[in-house]
Amino acid sequence: MVPRPAQGPGEEGILKAAIAVMSEQGYHGTSVRDIAGRAGLSPGALYYHFESKQELLATIMERGIGELLRRTRAALDAAGDEPAARLRAIVSTHVLFHLEDQRGTMLGTSELRALDEPVRTRHLDDRHRQQRLFDDVVVQGTERGVFATPIPLEASRAVVVMCTGVAGWFSPRGPLTRTEIALRYERLALDMVGAVE
């Protein structure tokens, strides 16, 4: 028997609709009916895929941080052992990730407080893992004498905050491409850690 073709937008379409509506109205200002309407579904059809609005938010945020960690680790694996190259690689990865889906990453930043436990703690643990990947690179660079900053952990956190913030202001109609922004942020990050030429 031939299976019936899938009807409606499916889980990915629902998640995109949820990101769109929540980024416009905020988590608490958004209803399941709002998300279903944006996705072209009835609320009942949405509940077939997700049990609640909270599950939608948790899925968006957990998928996002999971993918960011995966890409950052892959960038480190490919970058070799030289600290400046490693920092460039993870800065570029972080910036480009946050510019790939600006509404989704802004939602992940702004709605952490709306996550219920235990998802909130798990998500924070993953954010800390991402930060530690940067910390390790910067500390290694200072130990090798190729980064001159006397405050490596503070510099590392500043780099991550800077790279995350691009989602809030970048416009594809602006004068620079995403890749050009990433390259400039690589330079800024090296300046922040006091990279020795």
Side-chain angles (χ1 to χ4, degrees), residues 81-89 137 141 146-147 190 195:
D81 192 48
E82 203 280 307
R86 291 170 70 78
L87 184 60
R88 282 183 179 275
V137 169
V146 296
F147 298 158
L190 290 171

Side-chain angles (χ1 to χ4, degrees), residues 29-70:
T30 298
S31 68
V32 168
R33 184 172 298 279
D34 293 332
I35 297 166
R38 184 69 62 96
L41 296 170
S42 69
L46 187 148
Y47 283 124
Y48 175 80
H49 297 280
F50 295 95
E51 292 182 0
S52 65
K53 182 175 71 167
Q54 178 65 206
E55 186 185 6
L56 274 164
L57 180 65
T59 301
I60 291 164
M61 293 183 71
E62 290 193 305
R63 284 189 184 183
I65 192 63
E67 180 63 12
L68 179 58
L69 280 163
R70 186 194 69 75

Side-chain angles (χ1 to χ4, degrees), residues 149-168:
T149 178
I151 47 171
L153 295 180
E154 290 85 348
S156 175
R157 176 139 329 257
V159 168
V160 170
V161 170
M162 174 183 75
C163 293
T164 302
V166 295

